Amino acid sequence: MHWLGPTDANSAGFVHGGVVMKLCDSAAGLSGVRHSGGRVVTAGMDRMTFNEPIEIGELLTLRAAVNAVWRTSMEVGVRVEAERPASGEVRHTNTAYLTMVAVTADGRPREVPGLVCESDDEHRRQEAAQTRRRNRLAERDEILGGRR
Ligand SMILES: CC(C)(COP(=O)(O)OP(=O)(O)OC[C@H]1O[C@@H](n2cnc3c(N)ncnc32)[C@H](O)[C@@H]1OP(=O)(O)O)[C@@H](O)C(=O)NCCC(=O)NCCS
């Protein structure tokens, strides 16, 4: 949970998008550390949605989960909810997908443990993560192919 104060504001008086991105990055990092049992780095942020503005004074709750794992990388999904403390009203404000890579002490990629998916939701998230990875790799190949 994170309370948003005046130093988190943008020039329009709402919470700066970069503040939410940083919190998502931290939540994803912790999730990656828990799953891999060691240090991780952020390799990329695939997607970040901003569904509606967040006001100063709101309370953010971030939930991060490892959606899928490959050899040394993991996709972590982060769901952000904002609460207006006075009314208790909660809104889903952001979703982010980040790729975290497990690394050794000297920064080299290391293998991560497999992921056990049990619920229907976990299987659905894993399949969606596979689709995003396929798309990311296909996009990279297409762009690199165009340069040759
Ligand atoms: C991420 C990093 C460790 C990858 O190193 P690398 O030498 O490219 O290693 P590899 O080519 O073996 O790739 C390792 C894994 O990273 C993944 N990866 C590399 N770049 C990626 C990118 N831009 N987006 C998503 N995944 C990426 C690869 O797909 C591979 O995953 P897999 O083993 O599960 O198949 C390296 O680029 C790095 O240290 N980057 C800086 C990270 C950083 O400073 N982050 C911000 C602060 S935490």
Side-chain angles (χ1 to χ4, degrees):
M1 272 201 190
H2 186 88
W3 182 77
L4 296 155
T7 55
D8 299 314
N10 63 18
S11 54
F14 292 103
V15 172
H16 195 290
V19 170
V20 185
M21 290 174 90
K22 184 177 176 191
L23 290 170
C24 286
D25 189 27
S26 300
L30 281 169
S31 193
V33 167
R34 275 185 175 157
H35 180 80
S36 71
R39 195 180 151 213
V40 301
V41 293
T42 311
M45 188 178 257
D46 269 345
R47 198 165 305 170
M48 173 93 214
T49 66
F50 294 88
N51 307 339
E52 46 185 291
I54 301 170
E55 290 154 24
I56 300 304
E58 292 201 70
L59 196 58
L60 285 197
T61 300
L62 293 94
R63 290 191 181 82
V66 174
N67 290 335
V69 303
W70 296 283
R71 197 178 69 83
T72 64
S73 64
M74 302 159 266
E75 184 197 90
V76 181
V78 186
R79 179 186 168 96
V80 185
E81 290 180 347
E83 177 187 337
R84 295 193 171 106
S87 65
E89 183 199 344
V90 174
R91 291 129 50 230
H92 172 208
T93 50
N94 310 81
T95 300
Y97 297 106
L98 299 95
T99 302
M100 312 304 296
V101 175
V103 293
T104 57
D106 56 358
R108 275 183 307 195
R110 62 183 170 87
E111 288 192 23
V112 292
L115 185 68
V116 179
C117 293
E118 284 168 352
S119 69
D120 288 349
D121 273 352
E122 286 168 352
H123 283 287
R124 185 180 47 74
R125 289 194 201 109
Q126 187 182 42
E127 278 169 30
Q130 296 287 3
T131 301
R132 279 186 289 275
R133 178 175 162 100
R134 262 197 312 277
N135 289 342
R136 186 171 60 244
L137 294 176
E139 181 187 272
R140 188 193 63 184
D141 289 348
E142 191 177 328
I143 290 168
L144 289 177
R147 287 191 197 152
R148 284 185 198 118

